[in-house]
Amino acid sequence: MDNRSEVREFLTSRRAKITPEQAGLPSGNRRRVPGLRRSEVAALADVSVEYYAKLERGNLAGVSPAVLEAVARALQLDDAERAHLLNLAQAADGSDALTRPRRRTSRTWTAHRSLQWVLDAVTAGPAFVRNGRMDLLAANQLARAFYDDVYATAGNQANLARFQFLDPASRRFYPDWDQAADIAVAILRTEAGRNPHDKDLHDLVGELSTRSDDFRTRWGAHNVRHHGTGTKRFHHHTVGDLTLAYEGLEMAAEPGLTLTIYTAEPGSPSEEALRLLASWAATPQPLTPHSDG
């Protein structure tokens, strides 16, 4: 991905999101831009307008950490956005070659047997390992049953982003589809900044941009996020509605991979639904189309 273009569009999009009022500046009556002017960001970051304009044209090579931090403060970047800016600066310098995680592909990486033991030891909730491209690389039995729709269609290639945007079944599986779509794209955009040389990621983004207007619009927003913990709603074709909490753990032994575990509140209907799903998963299923009937 073109680093200069990524930097330009990211900084421009962040500047457009900050109103003068949010930045503590007078709004005035004749503003032609939706957010801050370049001159206002420059003043807030204590750099010259010419220097900030150079940054926003996409030139982050050689920019000091202090200036990057000042720009991050001026644009009120959150932790994920700040990390993304630093990743873009590393890529501009070429220094990301030493810090980026080793390239992972779903075709070449397999879980070490001890990792599979860990996943299989989790019996009360879905547990799985994914990479930044959202490929499902390893899973326990309950996760395979939970993501049955994803695995059932060969065209998804066990990839959550393809399922989200190209498989109609995702509209049923994610009751909050728009929110899930926003999260999926933010994860991919974050990975693009962290690992900009991943050809498989480039190919995935190109495929989704070509085939999905929903994806293309979201990709252009340049939103990023740290996807570590939270709660989501699902609708499984066999057990119905589920509200599950999740925890995502970065794997120290495998840089770039995340172990995610979903759990239900004790005593809740969702916990009972997971028990039913576990029972369903333990029974061999015929390869037939799914229905909610």
Side-chain angles (χ1 to χ4, degrees), residues 1-15:
M1 298 179 186
D2 177 25
N3 179 260
R4 293 177 73 95
S5 176
E6 290 290 308
V7 171
R8 180 175 62 252
E9 293 173 12
F10 178 67
L11 289 178
T12 301
S13 67
R14 298 312 93 173
R15 177 163 62 85

Side-chain angles (χ1 to χ4, degrees), residues 21-199:
E21 291 81 6
Q22 289 173 321
L25 299 172
S27 59
N29 296 322
R30 296 184 178 180
R31 302 190 68 87
R32 293 180 295 176
V33 294
L36 297 180
R37 301 184 178 99
R38 288 192 186 92
S39 59
E40 291 169 332
V41 176
L44 291 168
D46 196 24
V47 298
S48 70
V49 176
E50 293 77 11
Y51 187 75
Y52 179 74
K54 183 186 78 168
L55 302 184
E56 200 170 280
R57 286 194 297 270
N59 188 359
L60 288 186
V63 178
S64 70
V67 169
L68 291 173
E69 182 59 31
V71 170
R73 286 197 304 269
L75 294 175
Q76 299 183 19
L77 302 187
D78 62 24
D79 289 344
E81 292 168 329
R82 179 179 279 101
H84 188 64
L85 179 62
L86 295 178
N87 285 331
L88 291 175
Q90 285 185 335
D93 283 336
S95 58
D96 66 316
L98 296 177
T99 59
R100 65 177 181 259
R102 290 169 290 169
R103 184 179 170 204
R104 298 292 183 191
T105 71
S106 57
R107 294 184 293 275
T108 60
W109 185 87
T110 56
H112 190 274
R113 60 178 185 169
S114 62
L115 174 57
Q116 191 61 55
W117 294 342
V118 170
L119 294 173
D120 292 340
V122 180
T123 58
F128 59 93
V129 173
R130 67 161 178 82
N131 57 21
R133 294 190 304 275
M134 303 187 73
D135 294 316
L136 293 171
L137 302 179
N140 66 358
Q141 186 180 56
L142 194 47
R144 284 190 167 274
F146 180 68
Y147 284 124
D148 186 55
D149 281 328
V150 181
Y151 288 110
T153 303
N156 292 332
Q157 300 178 45
N159 180 273
L160 294 173
R162 279 195 187 88
F163 173 69
Q164 176 80 51
F165 291 100
L166 303 182
D167 192 329
S170 73
R171 299 278 180 171
R172 177 194 62 206
F173 185 68
Y174 297 112
D176 305 312
W177 191 91
D178 286 319
Q179 180 187 62
D182 291 342
I183 290 172
V185 175
I187 290 173
L188 293 181
R189 177 61 82 177
T190 301
E191 179 68 4
R194 192 176 61 88
N195 194 10
H197 308 286
D198 187 337
K199 183 180 182 300

